[in-house]
Amino acid sequence: MNRFVTQVSAVCLCLAMVPACNALGKKKKKQSDLSTNPLANVNSKQPDKELFDKAMKAMKKGKYDVARLDLQTLLNTYPDTEYAMRAKLAVGDTWYKEGGSAALTQAEQEYKDFITFFPNTPEAAEAQMKVGDIYYQQMQKPDRDPQNVLHAEQEYRQMIQQFPDSPLVPRAKQRLRDVQEVLAQRQFEIGQFYASHENWPATIARLQTVADSYPLFSHSDQTLITLGDAYVTQAQLASKLNLPPKAKAELVKAYNDRAADAYDRVVTQYAMAPHVEDAKDRLIAMGRPVPEPTQAQLAESEAEEGSRTTVRLKDRALLLVKQGPSTVRAVRVGEPTLTDPAQTTAPQVRDTTVAMFNAAMKGQQMPAAPTYGGGTATASAATATGTAAPASAGGSTAVEMEAIPTVNSSGNSTSVEIVNPSGNSTGNSTEAAPAPAAGAGNEAAPGNGAAAPAPASTTPVPGNPAADNYGMKAVGPATSNAALPPVDKPAAAPDQVNDVKGGSQPAAAQVQTGTKKGKAKNVPVDKSKESSSKKKKTGLDKLNPF
């Protein structure tokens, strides 16, 4: 029995000693990790280390002004300390963590100074990354001011290109994808707005810019489908213009080819996109063959669509109260665009439109189809109003989109186009004579001894639309020597007659003075409407003083 009790006691004693041993081991391990700073020993009592640790503790507690004061004291007192680099970077961190537009501006300046002083250190990549994060935090929705988004894109691109070996490059690439998602969404919404207002050159310019600059956009399929629809609409407008049959057929074919190119890209490069079936249906309706994507294109599109996060109800609710944009649908794979191609503008689309019309009228070859991703100007269809210059009789002259004024011998542009109100389509135009320049040798100016030239005759000539002023009557007398009619004067007003004789009074005065003619009759007064304080008291009410 005693042996059993002794064994049990030994087991209990061993169990009691196990937690103590574990605690001792943890205590030793904790003592070995007292300092996480690799720049000094654990038990170092150097004054610069003491200041640095004090600043780090203050920053951890949210006392950013105290931390900055300690760090500045460290840099000013010990300029050659081994903590100088970390202290300089920590000063920017205090401003960055404090937040606010003013503090973030100061943090950016501190990080830029750090990169200038320490350009070849690993911490320089961290500083450049935080500069991009400063603008990333201040981004707004796509329909707001895009300056912060553009600055964020520029800073992330600089970080990737300047520090390609940094471990922060994957994070910078993902942030760059998010930023470009916002920029692409902005351009896409503007393009849709122009499409709703049937401004096709502006629509094509915006949508092709999205297709060229942001191939990882979550709505790239919708962008290309809308771009193709714009070309189809322009082809329909061209088919209704008054053009020669051959030129009209060439224009319609050119626009339909560009639309088919946009639909083909949806089917091949975005084979797993949600709206790829819409592109196939449009190709079938146009009578064009539907292309087959390769295995590499299928795998790439599947990886892109699989990396996108599904938008949940929580994300939509946060978007209503969140100031910044939503980047939930941004892709998680693929290389973001590091250099923007030349953007397509509406003037370029208009110039290509003129070139297409001229080529169609001359029977020449149409301009080359746009190359997606190359930044070339896209050929648009007819103008937004659906109007074009009429074809000439021979069909060999170039189409003029605008009336070019005629320059006379004196160098002045004086062409004036007169619209015939009677509907005469003679197409004549008149030249308005400019005023002679002072000291001109070919014409004598009035007042220098020479007679002024006689004015042109204004007598209408029958059968000449320019002479009869296109049916509009001239304002003024028929002949220049006819006397002007006298100026009409208003008729003289009659003299005022005072009907009231002197010494007499008006009827109102007679009533007030009590004359016989105007004596007013006594009108009975309803005393029931008077206030109770003015009524006579009767009976016992006379005894009541109130």
Side-chain angles (χ1 to χ4, degrees):
M1 185 65 181
N2 294 333
R3 183 180 298 177
F4 177 75
V5 173
T6 302
Q7 293 177 353
V8 172
S9 301
V11 172
C12 293
L13 181 61
C14 293
L15 294 175
M17 292 177 64
V18 170
C21 295
N22 293 336
L24 183 62
K26 290 182 180 179
K27 185 175 182 181
K28 289 182 179 181
K29 185 177 180 181
K30 185 177 181 180
Q31 289 178 355
S32 63
D33 295 338
L34 287 177
S35 176
T36 58
N37 194 335
L39 300 179
N41 297 327
V42 177
N43 298 323
S44 176
K45 297 297 182 182
Q46 297 176 1
D48 53 351
K49 177 185 179 301
E50 294 291 336
L51 281 174
F52 185 80
D53 292 342
K54 181 182 177 183
M56 293 298 102
K57 291 179 181 178
M59 186 168 59
K60 188 178 296 184
K61 294 180 180 180
K63 301 178 181 179
Y64 304 113
D65 51 350
V66 177
R68 281 192 294 269
L69 182 61
D70 294 337
L71 293 171
Q72 292 294 341
T73 303
L74 171 63
L75 294 173
N76 297 333
T77 308
Y78 308 98
D80 298 332
T81 180
E82 56 187 350
Y83 291 93
M85 183 178 63
R86 297 300 304 179
K88 183 70 175 176
L89 185 62
V91 172
D93 292 340
T94 57
W95 291 110
Y96 180 79
K97 292 184 178 181
E98 184 175 345
S101 59
L104 291 177
T105 303
Q106 188 67 29
E108 180 186 1
Q109 186 62 38
E110 293 291 340
Y111 290 139
K112 291 292 186 181
D113 293 344
F114 180 85
I115 297 173
T116 303
F117 288 117
F118 309 98
N120 299 324
T121 59
E123 287 78 6
E126 179 183 352
Q128 182 63 36
M129 185 70 188
K130 289 183 178 179
V131 172
D133 292 341
I134 288 174
Y135 289 107
Y136 186 87
Q137 293 180 1
Q138 301 180 83
M139 289 194 312
Q140 296 183 357
K141 291 180 173 59
D143 57 345
R144 301 306 175 100
D145 187 9
Q147 292 301 319
N148 290 327
V149 189
L150 293 174
H151 283 298
E153 182 186 28
Q154 179 181 359
E155 297 298 338
Y156 286 134
R157 283 178 173 177
Q158 183 177 354
M159 189 270 169
I160 296 172
Q161 295 173 352
Q162 189 174 356
F163 308 99
D165 299 331
S166 174
L168 297 175
V169 169
R171 179 171 174 268
K173 287 185 177 181
Q174 183 55 45
R175 285 295 179 90
L176 184 57
R177 296 187 196 101
D178 296 343
V179 170
Q180 291 181 351
E181 176 75 15
V182 179
L183 291 174
Q185 182 68 29
R186 172 182 174 82
Q187 296 285 348
F188 175 68
E189 291 180 358
I190 296 175
Q192 283 189 324
F193 171 80
Y194 284 131
S196 63
H197 288 69
E198 298 183 357
N199 190 345
W200 305 118
T203 302
I204 294 171
R206 293 286 182 170
L207 296 181
Q208 187 172 347
T209 299
V210 176
D212 295 341
S213 303
Y214 311 107
L216 299 179
F217 180 43
S218 59
H219 300 293
S220 295
D221 53 343
Q222 291 181 343
T223 301
L224 292 171
I225 288 175
T226 309
L227 181 61
D229 293 343
Y231 284 132
V232 171
T233 305
Q234 295 293 45
Q236 295 174 357
L237 293 176
S239 63
K240 299 178 182 178
L241 297 178
N242 186 16
L243 298 176
K246 183 178 179 181
K248 185 186 299 184
E250 290 291 334
L251 285 175
V252 172
K253 181 179 180 302
Y255 297 144
N256 288 332
D257 290 343
R258 284 157 173 74
D261 292 340
Y263 298 146
D264 289 344
R265 190 183 179 193
V266 177
V267 177
T268 55
Q269 298 188 13
Y270 302 97
M272 304 301 294
H275 300 277
V276 66
E277 296 298 331
D278 297 337
K280 292 181 180 180
D281 294 341
R282 283 168 169 79
L283 287 173
I284 295 174
M286 295 174 62
R288 301 299 179 95
V290 179
E292 291 292 336
T294 61
Q295 294 296 329
Q297 291 174 342
L298 284 173
E300 182 180 359
S301 179
E302 185 177 2
E304 290 179 2
E305 297 300 328
S307 65
R308 303 186 193 277
T309 306
T310 306
V311 180
R312 299 171 298 180
L313 181 61
K314 177 182 177 182
D315 300 327
R316 298 182 183 275
L318 289 177
L319 189 61
L320 298 176
V321 297
K322 183 182 177 182
Q323 182 179 2
S326 175
T327 58
V328 177
R329 293 292 297 169
V331 70
R332 300 294 187 272
V333 296
E335 292 295 327
T337 306
L338 297 181
T339 55
D340 286 334
Q343 295 186 357
T344 304
T345 60
Q348 293 176 351
V349 176
R350 180 198 59 196
D351 295 341
T352 311
T353 302
V354 177
M356 292 177 63
F357 270 85
N358 290 335
M361 298 300 299
K362 293 180 179 180
Q364 299 176 356
Q365 185 179 2
M366 284 290 176
T371 303
Y372 293 102
T376 58
T378 306
S380 76
T383 54
T385 57
T387 59
S392 60
S396 60
T397 59
V399 179
E400 296 181 358
M401 305 301 292
E402 296 179 359
I404 301 178
T406 305
V407 181
N408 57 7
S409 59
S410 61
N412 297 325
S413 175
T414 58
S415 176
V416 180
E417 182 180 356
I418 304 299
V419 180
N420 187 0
S422 61
N424 186 9
S425 58
T426 57
N428 297 330
S429 61
T430 60
E431 297 282 340
N442 55 353
E443 293 183 5
N448 58 358
S457 176
T458 58
T459 306
V461 179
N464 188 358
D468 62 2
N469 202 15
Y470 293 92
M472 293 184 291
K473 297 181 180 180
V475 180
T479 59
S480 59
N481 298 329
L484 296 176
V487 180
D488 295 336
K489 296 182 179 180
D495 297 335
Q496 296 183 356
V497 179
N498 190 3
D499 295 336
V500 182
K501 297 181 180 181
S504 62
Q505 296 180 353
Q510 294 178 1
V511 173
Q512 294 177 359
T513 54
T515 57
K516 292 182 180 180
K517 292 183 180 180
K519 187 175 181 180
K521 298 181 180 181
N522 294 331
V523 180
V525 180
D526 187 4
K527 296 183 179 180
S528 61
K529 296 182 180 180
E530 295 181 357
S531 61
S532 58
S533 59
K534 295 182 180 181
K535 293 181 180 180
K536 293 184 178 181
K537 298 180 180 181
T538 57
L540 296 177
D541 292 339
K542 294 182 178 180
L543 301 179
N544 186 4
F546 303 104

